[in-house]
C-alpha cells in the first residue's frame, strides 16, 4: 500500500497527473482550470480504488479503468449542463391564440431566418465594425464563433455541427483572418 502511494504521489503526484493527462488527451480542449478539477477528481478515485483493490489485476490497470470511467462520466455531465434548456426558450410546437389547433411554427413566416433575426436584435448592441465583421463571415463560421463564445470546446462544436476537422480548421482560419479581423481594429 505504501509503495503504491509513494509511486503515485511522489513529485507532487506527478504519476497520477500524467495518467489523468493521458485520459484527457483523448477529449482535447481541456483548460488548465478543468485539468485541476480532474486532478482533484483523480484523488477521490485513487482513494476509492485503493480501498477496493484486491490484487486480482494490476493496480495500474484497475486505477486507469476506474479513472477513465469517472472522467468520461464527468465530461458527459458537464456537456449535459451546457445543453440544458434555458427557461426562456419556448417550443415551436406550443399552441398560440385561442385555437388549440394553431401552433407557433404555423404562424412563422416561410422566409423567417431565426439566426438573422437574433443577429439583428443583438446587433442593436454591436458596433458598426462588429456588424461588418459578422457580415463577412459565412453562416457556418458565425455558428462556430457563437458556440466558441458560449464556451463549447472544439470537439463539441465539430460534433454538434457535424463538421470535419478540416472544415472546422478552415472556418476558424477565416474567423481569425487578418482580412476579417482588421475591420475590428
Amino acid at each position: 500500500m505504501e509503495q503504491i502511494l509513494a509511486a503515485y504521489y511522489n513529485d507532487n503526484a506527478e504519476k497520477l497527473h500524467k495518467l489523468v493527462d493521458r485520459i484527457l488527451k483523448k477529449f482535447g480542449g481541456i483548460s488548465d482550470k478543468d485539468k485541476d478539477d480532474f486532478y482533484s477528481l483523480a484523488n477521490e478515485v485513487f482513494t476509492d480504488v485503493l480501498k477496493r483493490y484486491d490484487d486480482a489485476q494490476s493496480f495500474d490497470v484497475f486505477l486507469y479503468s476506474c479513472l477513465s470511467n469517472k472522467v468520461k462520466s464527468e465530461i458527459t455531465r458537464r456537456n449535459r449542463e451546457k445543453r440544458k434548456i434555458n427557461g426562456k426558450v419556448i417550443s415551436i410546437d406550443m399552441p398560440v391564440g385561442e385555437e388549440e389547433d394553431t401552433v407557433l411554427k404555423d404562424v412563422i413566416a416561410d422566409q423567417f431566418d431565426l439566426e438573422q433575426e437574433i443577429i439583428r436584435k443583438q446587433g442593436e448592441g454591436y458596433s458598426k465594425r462588429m456588424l461588418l465583421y459578422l457580415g463577412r463571415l459565412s453562416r457556418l463560421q458565425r455558428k462556430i464563433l457563437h458556440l466558441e463564445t458560449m464556451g463549447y470546446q472544439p470537439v463539441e462544436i465539430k460534433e454538434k455541427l457535424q463538421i470535419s476537422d478540416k472544415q472546422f480548421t478552415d472556418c476558424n482560419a477565416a474567423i481569425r483572418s487578418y482580412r476579417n479581423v482588421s475591420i475590428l481594429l
Side-chain angles (χ1 to χ4, degrees), residues 154-172:
V155 172
E156 298 169 312
I157 294 170
K158 288 183 273 188
E159 181 180 316
K160 187 173 184 71
L161 298 178
Q162 297 180 348
I163 59 175
S164 68
D165 288 337
K166 181 169 179 10
Q167 285 175 297
F168 179 80
T169 302
D170 290 346
C171 285
N172 256 321

Side-chain angles (χ1 to χ4, degrees), residues 35-127:
K35 280 186 180 181
D36 286 341
D37 291 346
F38 285 107
Y39 293 154
S40 296
L41 183 68
N43 286 323
E44 294 172 21
V45 172
F46 184 86
T47 304
D48 181 55
V49 166
L50 207 53
K51 290 176 188 173
R52 295 186 304 140
Y53 181 61
D54 62 2
D55 286 333
Q57 61 182 326
S58 160
F59 181 81
D60 294 340
V61 171
F62 184 52
L63 176 62
Y64 181 86
S65 174
C66 292
L67 192 53
S68 181
N69 288 337
K70 190 68 169 183
V71 166
K72 287 175 190 173
S73 296
E74 178 63 15
I75 288 176
T76 300
R77 186 193 66 76
R78 288 178 180 208
N79 288 340
R80 200 171 286 135
E81 286 294 317
K82 288 180 184 175
R83 292 188 299 265
K84 274 191 176 174
I85 296 176
N86 183 335
K88 297 177 184 176
V89 175
I90 58 172
S91 171
I92 199 161
D93 294 318
M94 181 181 92
V96 292
E98 295 174 8
E99 298 177 23
E100 295 281 329
D101 296 341
T102 306
V103 293
L104 186 58
K105 69 181 173 188
D106 294 334
V107 296
I108 294 177
D110 290 339
Q111 298 301 317
F112 183 78
D113 186 346
L114 182 60
E115 183 179 328
Q116 289 299 322
E117 183 66 16
I118 290 170
I119 289 173
R120 186 187 66 73
K121 289 218 181 211
Q122 289 177 338
E124 295 170 5
Y126 288 156
S127 68

Side-chain angles (χ1 to χ4, degrees), residues 17 20-39 71-72 74-76 78-79 82 151-156:
H17 288 187
V20 171
D21 291 341
R22 195 169 90 206
I23 293 168
L24 291 176
K25 189 175 182 180
K26 295 177 186 175
F27 297 98
I30 304 291
S31 71
D32 288 339
K33 181 201 172 290
D34 289 333
K35 280 186 180 181
D36 286 341
D37 291 346
F38 285 107
Y39 293 154
V71 166
K72 287 175 190 173
E74 178 63 15
I75 288 176
T76 300
R78 288 178 180 208
N79 288 340
K82 288 180 184 175
Y152 284 84
Q153 299 298 320
V155 172
E156 298 169 312

